[in-house]
Amino acid sequence: MGDTLNRSLGWLCFDQMRSAFAAAAGTFVLSWMLYDLTGSKAAMGGLWLLSLSGQWLVQWLAGPWIDRWKRTVVMRASETIRGSAYAFVCAMWIAGQREAYVLLIGSFLSSLQVYDAAAGAIMPKLAAPDKLVRVNASVSGMVQLIRVVALPAAGLLTRVLAPEMLLSLLALLFFASWLPAAFIAELPHTDGEKRTWKSSFLQGIRVYRSNKVLYELAALVSVTSFGVCATQAMYLPYVTEILSGGSLEYGVFTAAFPLGYVCGSMLVGRLREPGAQLGAVMSAALFAGGVTYILLGVMTNLTAAVLIEAAAGAAMPFWNVYSSMIYYRMVPASLLGQVLSTKSLLTKAVTPFGVMYGAYWASAFGLPELFLSVGVLICAVSGAATIWHLKARIRKRTGIPASKE
């Protein structure tokens, strides 16, 4: 049984890396094609807004039923939808319909997936509880390492291959999910209760109500997601206009974050869990990310900007890995897929506003000002959370009640 679980975990890791490569390269290609076609910041914002709206919609409709289906079936279905989206754009491009609306439709369709929630729900079933943090950190790091390769590769291939060829390759990469998923030995579902969509959704909300710490995690990551989406939608014009780069430079810049993430994941996997300092460490990681946005707002040198983005990536595993660990330990396995989907639904609720804010602020005031405003926002919220956790720790050690602060 142990060998079977180890092999299944290996196939799951391989499939997640395949999906990460295809998703990162696909987002790069669609973004570059749209910006090359329109040169519009508003169009870039629209691309990200449609993508995030699709993610929010599918999490809302399909999320409550994830735990009623085999997770491997959900993974294959999600990747098939994404592959079909790129095949659609490719067919339209070959037919001569080289319009912005085709790329926007493709971006929306490719966002209709719940792959990450389904794959994340399988992980605790394949890894031993005492090794879950290390396995999660390793998988998270490997996925980000794949993105390090995918983004510059996409930038290089964009220069040498026709869009039709690129889109065809991306579609095949998504369709390839059927092979590794077939070798994942998913344990049978043990919850015999058949819940409706409404009862499943409410069950996920009840888990949050009974674990207030999950509310705090969702609130902090919502603010961060707002800022991330506001700036990521503008990364391409930031590189081309502020850093004077092209498609390859854009690939290198966007690969810096996952490269830093890999280094941070290796560090997290080797350190002891923070214990009572866990909340402060996680909040401080978000604060460090906010500082990097402020630095990007005053930077015009490509090399320095790449290093800053790598530093942002190195800080994030201290949030992501420990956050996943909390969910794995607090949420029953039979509800994990639904709760992870609810988590994604709650955090993505604010991201469309982030995209709209980013597109407006960049157009009205400039890209540096956008990065500065996002950095200040994230630092203010995460900094307050860090101080609160540190004070709570001091009160606990000294025995001073909260009312005497």
Side-chain angles (χ1 to χ4, degrees), residues 213-292:
V213 66
L214 300 184
Y215 272 128
E216 180 188 350
L217 295 180
L220 284 173
V221 79
S222 293
V223 173
T224 305
S225 296
F226 175 91
V228 168
C229 290
T231 52
Q232 277 193 339
M234 296 295 116
Y235 270 4
L236 203 161
Y238 173 76
V239 171
T240 56
E241 296 179 17
I242 305 300
L243 303 181
S244 303
S247 62
L248 180 59
E249 289 75 16
Y250 174 56
V252 171
F253 176 78
T254 51
F257 183 93
L259 179 60
Y261 195 102
V262 171
C263 299
S265 296
M266 294 172 61
L267 184 59
V268 170
R270 285 162 175 75
L271 293 176
R272 291 184 178 181
E273 291 182 30
Q277 301 290 349
L278 180 61
V281 170
M282 293 172 64
S283 301
L286 296 184
F287 183 86
V291 171
T292 62

Side-chain angles (χ1 to χ4, degrees), residues 307-323:
L307 293 175
I308 293 169
E309 190 69 359
M316 282 312 295
F318 289 89
W319 169 270
N320 288 340
V321 173
Y322 291 138
S323 175

